[in-house]
Amino acid sequence: MNEGVTTARRSGRRRNERGALNQGGRGAWLYLLPAVVVYVGFLVYPAVSTLQFSFLDWDGIAPPEWAGIGNFVLALTDPLLARAIGNGLLLIVFFTVVPIAVGLLMTALLIGRIRHGTTFFRVVFFLPQVLPLVAVGTTWRWVYSEDGMVNQFLDLVGLGHLGRAWLGDEQFALVALGLIGTWVMSGLCMMLFMSGAQKVDTSLHEAAAIDGAGPVRQFLSVTLPGLRKEISIAGVITTIAALASFDLVFVTTNGGPAGATNVPALLVYRLAFNEGDIGAASALAVVLTVLVVVLVGAIRYLAREDS
């Protein structure tokens, strides 16, 4: 009899616990609902709509017509669009590779040699991340102008004959634009690497010093392997910034001269809002998204840690 009563009580407790868990789960979903609605409304739905539009021939007003993969063929074969994709890939060198190298160099100097004023250097190098890119682009457009600081410096050192309107020169415009990205992204990379370097066990440095390793060897053999995750994060952020760059290009060159600095994001804007070709703009946006996902996936794969 007592055993039956005990079993019934246990069953009742289990039912109450399950009911409380179910109630808690429903309550949690109610708290998450606003975020889910925003996520679906501003990310999932636009992404699905863009994919749908990429298969249509549509100007945004007249009834759409089915275009199949024609818009994707155009995005990959049209010289203007293909060149823009190539420009985006080239900007990865200036937005990702060079800033990571500069960030690692500055990290090595700040944690190894410079003992005072570290906070000052952090603030100065991170400052470009705080400034709006529109303001950055406007400032650098003056710096690169014919009477700007770059040409003034060249005149000062006796190389005035090399001066030019750098953003107006078809041969140098993309490189000049890329160097702006290097200036903007280097501080972010440095801050990430500085944070990661502080987590490296100091006993490893002490052991390396006992073995006779100098500062350079310690950084290469101890600090650098410990920054693998931070380098991966910096690579992902800067690669996305390079391929999705719009505001900086729009303010400085607007794709000129002669399309030398066209990038995919800028052409998506032009195709959609200037030329009214929603299908081609959507197809180029999808191609850009796939390119970003592939490159980011490759970076994450190369930076993985073996278990």
Side-chain angles (χ1 to χ4, degrees):
M1 181 70 177
N2 291 335
E3 292 180 0
V5 172
T6 303
T7 303
R9 288 177 178 174
R10 289 176 179 172
S11 300
R13 280 198 298 269
R14 292 195 190 99
R15 285 194 297 270
N16 291 335
E17 289 173 358
R18 285 196 294 268
L21 287 174
N22 291 333
Q23 264 190 337
R26 287 193 293 269
W29 276 109
L30 286 176
Y31 282 110
L32 290 174
L33 185 60
V36 172
V37 171
V38 172
Y39 182 80
V40 172
F42 289 93
L43 185 65
V44 176
Y45 176 74
V48 173
S49 298
T50 300
L51 182 62
Q52 178 186 359
F53 296 154
S54 65
F55 294 100
L56 302 175
D57 183 8
W58 187 40
D59 61 359
I61 300 176
E65 297 180 1
W66 179 256
I69 62 172
N71 290 323
F72 291 98
V73 173
L74 178 67
L76 297 174
T77 58
D78 184 88
L80 180 63
L81 303 184
R83 185 182 184 185
I85 294 175
N87 289 343
L89 293 175
L90 183 59
L91 286 180
I92 293 176
V93 176
F94 296 98
F95 278 69
T96 303
V97 179
V98 179
I100 287 177
V102 172
L104 289 173
L105 176 62
M106 293 305 303
T107 300
L109 293 175
L110 290 175
I111 67 174
R113 294 295 182 183
I114 299 176
R115 301 298 181 185
H116 303 286
T118 304
T119 303
F120 170 77
F121 285 104
R122 289 184 179 182
V123 172
V124 169
F125 278 92
F126 191 72
L127 186 61
Q129 281 292 315
V130 180
L131 300 175
L133 284 181
V134 173
V136 170
T138 303
T139 303
W140 277 91
R141 189 172 59 185
W142 173 80
V143 170
Y144 278 135
S145 64
E146 291 185 358
D147 58 347
M149 292 179 60
V150 173
N151 289 334
Q152 290 178 16
F153 174 77
L154 292 175
D155 286 334
L156 185 64
V157 297
L159 297 175
H161 62 283
L162 298 178
R164 66 195 71 215
W166 296 93
L167 293 175
D169 190 297
E170 187 174 353
Q171 185 177 359
F172 293 97
L174 187 62
V175 175
L177 179 64
L179 290 176
I180 303 176
T182 299
W183 179 75
V184 172
M185 293 297 169
S186 294
L188 172 64
C189 294
M190 185 200 73
M191 292 297 292
L192 286 173
F193 301 154
M194 287 286 293
S195 300
Q198 293 174 355
K199 296 187 295 183
V200 178
D201 193 349
T202 56
S203 62
L204 297 177
H205 288 281
E206 295 172 357
I210 293 174
D211 291 338
V216 176
R217 175 53 59 186
Q218 288 184 40
F219 181 80
L220 294 177
S221 301
V222 179
T223 306
L224 190 58
L227 295 178
R228 178 177 295 186
K229 289 183 179 179
E230 285 74 18
I231 293 175
S232 172
I233 294 172
V236 169
I237 294 174
T238 54
T239 298
I240 294 174
L243 292 175
S245 57
F246 169 79
D247 39 9
L248 189 61
V249 180
F250 185 79
V251 171
T252 53
T253 65
N254 198 22
T261 58
N262 272 330
V263 291
L266 181 63
L267 289 188
V268 169
Y269 168 80
R270 285 181 178 172
L271 288 171
F273 297 102
N274 293 348
E275 301 181 18
D277 194 344
I278 305 298
S282 300
L284 184 58
V286 171
V287 171
L288 178 60
T289 302
V290 172
L291 188 60
V292 169
V293 171
V294 169
L295 291 176
V296 168
I299 293 172
R300 299 289 295 174
Y301 177 79
L302 294 174
R304 75 191 189 286
E305 294 186 5
D306 297 330
S307 58

